[in-house]
Amino acid sequence: MKILILPGDGIGPEIMAATVQALGAVDEKFGLKLELVERTIGLAALEADGTTLSDAVMAEVKASDGVVLGPADTYAYPDPIEGGINPSGTIRKELDLYANIRPNRARDGVPCMTPNMDLVIARENTEGFYADRNMFQGAGEFM
């Protein structure tokens, strides 16, 4: 199973290193035969390729069995015409990813305000209000 690793910017590479280590441990324990392939996106890709998300990486996203996407510093990106493409927004739209599923559960031994929490949040991604598709000009919270 091919899993594409896209570390992103800021804390992305740091947390993605831990994520890759965890995936490696799970792969070893359960014999999943994961093929972890890392590609550059974000500011590093902008410097190297002139865009924060190249067509080649987007094609690989579409061809992979899964993608692990790290945080992207989209506020530091130039305008899209200058190569500053929002990777998460573009991937979400190109693949018509309907929902962002966020499971949350309290774990024994981990401090938590609600020790019996077992909650799944489904954030709708393709319709309704989403800040990156409702801006008159550029990115921002509200206009």
Side-chain angles (χ1 to χ4, degrees), residues 109-131:
V110 178
C112 182
M113 292 178 66
T114 308
N116 296 323
M117 181 178 66
D118 187 358
L119 172 71
V120 176
I121 298 171
R123 181 178 182 188
E124 195 282 325
N125 280 338
T126 57
E127 296 177 7
F129 180 79
Y130 214 100

Side-chain angles (χ1 to χ4, degrees), residues 4 6 39-42 44-46 48-62 83-87 90-91 94:
L4 193 61
L6 305 175
R39 295 292 180 252
T40 302
I41 62 164
L46 180 65
D49 305 323
T51 180
T52 54
L53 180 64
S54 70
D55 291 341
V57 171
M58 191 63 215
E60 204 162 350
V61 165
K62 291 177 180 179
I85 298 166
N86 178 340
T90 301
I91 291 169
E94 289 272 332

Side-chain angles (χ1 to χ4, degrees), residues 60-89:
E60 204 162 350
V61 165
K62 291 177 180 179
S64 296
D65 297 305
V67 176
V68 182
L69 176 64
D73 190 7
T74 56
Y75 290 110
Y77 293 176
D79 287 335
I81 195 141
E82 298 171 14
I85 298 166
N86 178 340
S88 61

